[in-house]
Amino acid sequence: MPLKLPFKQVDVFTSEGFKGNPVAVTNCLDIDESQVTTAQLQAVANWTNLSETTFIFKPVDPTNDYKLRIFTPKNELPFAGHPTIGSCKAYLEFTGKLGSTTSVKQECGVGIVNLTVTTDRISFQGAQTTMEDVDSIAVQEYCSALGDDIEAVATSKLLRTGPDWVVILVKDAKECFDCNPNMDKIIEISARNGHTGIILGGKKEGSANDYEIRAFAPVVKVEEDPVCGSGALGFIRYLNHLNKFKASQTINISQGGRLGRNGQLTCLINVHDDDSVTYHVGGDSLTVIEGQILL
Amino acid sequence: MPLKLPFKQVDVFTSEGFKGNPVAVTNCLDIDESQVTTAQLQAVANWTNLSETTFIFKPVDPTNDYKLRIFTPKNELPFAGHPTIGSCKAYLEFTGKLGSTTSVKQECGVGIVNLTVTTDRISFQGAQTTMEDVDSIAVQEYCSALGDDIEAVATSKLLRTGPDWVVILVKDAKECFDCNPNMDKIIEISARNGHTGIILGGKKEGSANDYEIRAFAPVVKVEEDPVCGSGALGFIRYLNHLNKFKASQTINISQGGRLGRNGQLTCLINVHDDDSVTYHVGGDSLTVIEGQILL
């Protein structure tokens, strides 16, 4: 007998339906994880054809809220940004805890991810973000693949936030929004260097902390990700490296306009009293489809 | 206020969940078509990221059952095969007519499509199938893009069944199943010749009418369609051209194995008493997700 489980498809980083990034979420809280196989979950994710499909299980450690398993159409991921926010929203709705919970602990492949819930927003704290130098010739090659006049205005870095993103900052938001990358070239450069893809960013004119970003990962079959949580995480980590902020900063990021989406990410570079820094990515989300799935 | 409408995601050409080709279907029978815009419907289809997303409206002519609008993530289509079968299944479930209806008339961009419903299968009659010659050099180029030893065993034709498919018959089902096409080359050849893609087919050893087919359409961003109704329609039309059948034939087609699917299409070349021929494509289907969508 197939299992009939509660299902939601949540739109993330938007308050308007179909303008964000979707994630398909199945509620497995009332079954045991041993009742399904990894192959079965992978088959669902391959079939939904979304960038990510998730499954919420009972937590291994009962002091956490739930365990999340995240799949792309091809493989299982230790972490992903927008699926974490969308799955947390679905969890709060599935369990009737929306409105009464302000903090959530999610178990996933990278460990425990801490989420903060306010009336209009869910945000996650980046659990795993390392920054490394990246070969300057590879950056030049990426810039030339992004367009004739594209130039990095600061030394690019490789941000490992789950995916491995090369972050490239260009002169402004317009240059970022307008660029028309050559995907074949990006595939070749990414494959040769072992990168997932590029996070391209530019500051909005006249603003202090408002940016446009775009995420290109054609080598993993995602030409352009509409709204990308792990990319935003890498991007704000990189901004703090460039600016060495002494006080906490809210960074507002728009993404997805070129794909007809209107993603809005509200990010926080949190500078603590002991000078340690934590990175937080958040946004609105909206359940668009709800019902049951036959697993 | 957003509209909350009944929604189903149906798996087509399979009786086992996640082994066929999915279509997302919204029931708009209880609203007026003027309550939604084409841009809105297109945005839903862009967001679901499925090869097709459909919307069932009241028929224009009340002697028909419903009007179907079919969208890919990029554009609206006059007709598509698996979405027609999945949407008919959803229509019968939405209206409680499953089990009591044996024939359904669907209005869509190509006109009226006639569907036949039996206990275990829904099939559609091909409304628009024209066959044309195709440049033999293009066919040779396709064969070389499909693999070193791939050779057409009969003169290929261009089948216009909605999409424009070049049908290539190879020596057997194994050659079809095993081939590893070069997608970049197929994109280049398809773009230059104005084709949607290739239907590759081969007969199963020892069988009379059992075939394996595969559908490649990378130029429209579908590298390989898991299970393809319009492709099967073109394929059986082509088989009848080759064989000039004097009596009706059931053609059993498998598709999608290389993508982890297990699509089964039951097709009929119906030779009528007056020697006219109609072409029918059918299969099982299964509602995997059901609930509501917020439009």
Side-chain angles (χ1 to χ4, degrees):
Chain A
M1 265 300 282
L3 294 163
K4 195 174 205 173
L5 298 173
F7 173 88
K8 291 179 190 274
Q9 200 154 307
V10 182
D11 206 11
V12 182
F13 296 129
T14 182
S15 54
E16 189 189 349
F18 311 107
K19 292 293 188 185
N21 205 354
V23 57
V25 188
T26 299
N27 178 353
C28 301
L29 288 167
D30 293 330
I31 64 165
D32 193 87
E33 200 175 330
S34 64
Q35 288 177 258
V36 292
T37 65
T38 298
Q40 226 180 336
L41 306 185
Q42 183 62 71
V44 178
N46 180 262
W47 184 84
T48 67
N49 207 36
L50 294 175
S51 62
E52 278 97 3
T53 296
T54 67
F55 302 86
I56 300 175
F57 290 98
K58 286 190 276 274
V60 177
D61 172 350
T63 65
N64 298 320
D65 291 278
Y66 59 86
K67 172 182 174 179
L68 192 68
R69 295 186 66 183
I70 306 169
F71 293 80
T72 74
K74 300 277 174 212
N75 60 324
E76 187 166 4
L77 296 181
F79 177 72
H82 96 269
T84 290
I85 289 180
S87 302
C88 179
K89 176 70 167 264
Y91 165 78
L92 295 170
E93 289 183 353
F94 281 135
T95 57
K97 290 182 178 168
L98 194 66
S100 63
T101 301
T102 56
S103 95
V104 169
K105 285 181 187 296
Q106 167 182 299
E107 296 175 359
C108 57
V110 294
I112 311 300
V113 172
N114 289 296
L115 290 122
T116 305
V117 183
T118 64
T119 45
D120 58 350
R121 193 177 300 149
I122 295 171
S123 64
F124 67 83
Q125 180 181 330
Q128 176 185 305
T129 320
T130 67
M131 191 171 67
E132 298 172 19
D133 289 343
V134 56
D135 179 31
S136 64
I137 292 170
V139 175
Q140 275 171 34
E141 289 176 324
Y142 278 131
C143 286
S144 120
L146 286 163
D148 279 347
D149 304 321
I150 301 288
E151 214 176 304
V153 297
T155 303
S156 290
K157 293 282 181 183
L158 178 66
L159 276 291
R160 301 193 188 270
T161 63
D164 298 327
W165 294 113
V166 174
V167 178
I168 298 177
L169 187 69
V170 293
K171 77 169 196 281
D172 58 21
K174 187 176 182 306
E175 184 159 304
C176 173
F177 189 89
D178 288 348
C179 100
N180 296 304
N182 179 319
M183 294 297 171
D184 288 339
K185 283 190 188 165
I186 293 177
I187 289 174
E188 194 277 311
I189 308 162
S190 301
R192 180 157 36 87
N193 291 278
H195 303 148
T196 308
I198 304 170
I199 298 296
L200 187 70
K203 194 190 267 193
K204 293 188 184 171
E205 217 181 332
S207 78
N209 278 331
D210 294 355
Y211 290 84
E212 175 81 24
I213 73 169
R214 294 174 69 189
F216 304 112
V219 78
V220 292
K221 306 267 182 199
V222 182
E223 288 207 345
E224 180 162 7
D225 192 32
V227 203
C228 180
S230 70
L233 177 61
F235 188 70
I236 62 170
R237 172 76 183 80
Y238 176 72
L239 286 183
N240 192 44
H241 157 74
L242 293 182
N243 293 283
K244 298 180 176 48
F245 292 116
K246 298 291 176 217
S248 296
Q249 305 284 321
T250 298
I251 312 285
N252 297 305
I253 294 176
S254 309
Q255 196 183 354
R258 282 292 296 276
L259 301 174
R261 310 292 172 86
N262 181 22
Q264 302 294 333
L265 303 104
T266 306
C267 304
L268 175 66
I269 299 172
N270 198 353
V271 182
H272 299 273
D273 290 343
D274 63 357
D275 290 340
S276 69
V277 182
T278 54
Y279 299 91
H280 307 258
V281 173
D284 281 339
S285 53
L286 178 71
T287 296
V288 170
I289 295 169
E290 58 186 330
Q292 282 86 39
I293 188 168
L294 222 58
L295 214 65
Chain B
M1 265 300 283
L3 294 163
K4 196 173 203 171
L5 299 173
F7 173 88
K8 289 178 191 275
Q9 200 155 305
V10 181
D11 206 11
V12 182
F13 296 129
T14 181
S15 54
E16 189 189 349
F18 312 107
K19 292 293 189 184
N21 205 353
V23 58
V25 188
T26 299
N27 177 353
C28 301
L29 288 167
D30 292 331
I31 65 166
D32 193 86
E33 200 174 333
S34 64
Q35 288 177 258
V36 292
T37 65
T38 297
Q40 226 180 336
L41 306 185
Q42 183 63 71
V44 177
N46 181 261
W47 184 86
T48 67
N49 206 37
L50 294 176
S51 62
E52 278 98 3
T53 296
T54 67
F55 302 88
I56 300 175
F57 291 97
K58 287 190 275 273
V60 176
D61 173 348
T63 64
N64 298 320
D65 291 277
Y66 59 88
K67 171 182 174 179
L68 192 67
R69 295 186 65 184
I70 306 169
F71 293 80
T72 76
K74 302 276 174 214
N75 60 325
E76 187 167 2
L77 296 180
F79 177 72
H82 95 269
T84 290
I85 289 181
S87 302
C88 178
K89 175 69 170 263
Y91 166 80
L92 294 171
E93 289 183 352
F94 282 136
T95 56
K97 290 181 180 170
L98 195 66
S100 63
T101 301
T102 56
S103 95
V104 169
K105 285 181 187 294
Q106 166 181 300
E107 297 176 357
C108 58
V110 294
I112 312 301
V113 172
N114 290 297
L115 290 121
T116 305
V117 183
T118 64
T119 43
D120 59 350
R121 194 177 303 150
I122 295 172
S123 63
F124 66 84
Q125 179 180 333
Q128 175 185 306
T129 319
T130 67
M131 191 171 67
E132 298 172 18
D133 288 343
V134 57
D135 178 31
S136 65
I137 291 169
V139 175
Q140 273 171 33
E141 289 175 325
Y142 279 131
C143 285
S144 120
L146 286 163
D148 280 348
D149 304 322
I150 302 288
E151 214 175 306
V153 297
T155 303
S156 290
K157 293 282 180 182
L158 178 66
L159 277 293
R160 300 194 188 271
T161 62
D164 297 327
W165 294 114
V166 174
V167 177
I168 298 176
L169 186 70
V170 292
K171 76 169 195 280
D172 58 22
K174 186 176 183 307
E175 183 159 303
C176 174
F177 189 89
D178 288 347
C179 99
N180 296 303
N182 179 320
M183 294 296 171
D184 289 338
K185 284 191 189 165
I186 292 177
I187 289 174
E188 194 277 313
I189 307 162
S190 301
R192 179 157 38 86
N193 291 279
H195 304 148
T196 308
I198 304 169
I199 299 296
L200 187 70
K203 194 189 267 195
K204 294 188 184 171
E205 216 180 333
S207 79
N209 278 330
D210 294 355
Y211 290 85
E212 175 82 24
I213 73 169
R214 295 172 69 187
F216 304 111
V219 79
V220 292
K221 306 265 183 198
V222 181
E223 288 207 343
E224 180 162 5
D225 192 31
V227 202
C228 180
S230 71
L233 177 61
F235 187 70
I236 62 170
R237 172 77 182 81
Y238 176 72
L239 286 184
N240 192 44
H241 157 74
L242 293 183
N243 292 285
K244 298 180 175 48
F245 293 116
K246 297 290 174 219
S248 297
Q249 304 286 321
T250 297
I251 311 285
N252 297 306
I253 294 177
S254 309
Q255 195 184 357
R258 282 292 295 274
L259 300 173
R261 309 292 173 86
N262 182 21
Q264 302 294 334
L265 303 102
T266 306
C267 304
L268 175 67
I269 300 171
N270 198 351
V271 182
H272 298 273
D273 289 344
D274 64 357
D275 289 339
S276 69
V277 182
T278 54
Y279 299 91
H280 307 258
V281 173
D284 280 339
S285 54
L286 178 70
T287 296
V288 170
I289 295 169
E290 60 186 328
Q292 283 86 39
I293 188 168
L294 222 59
L295 215 65

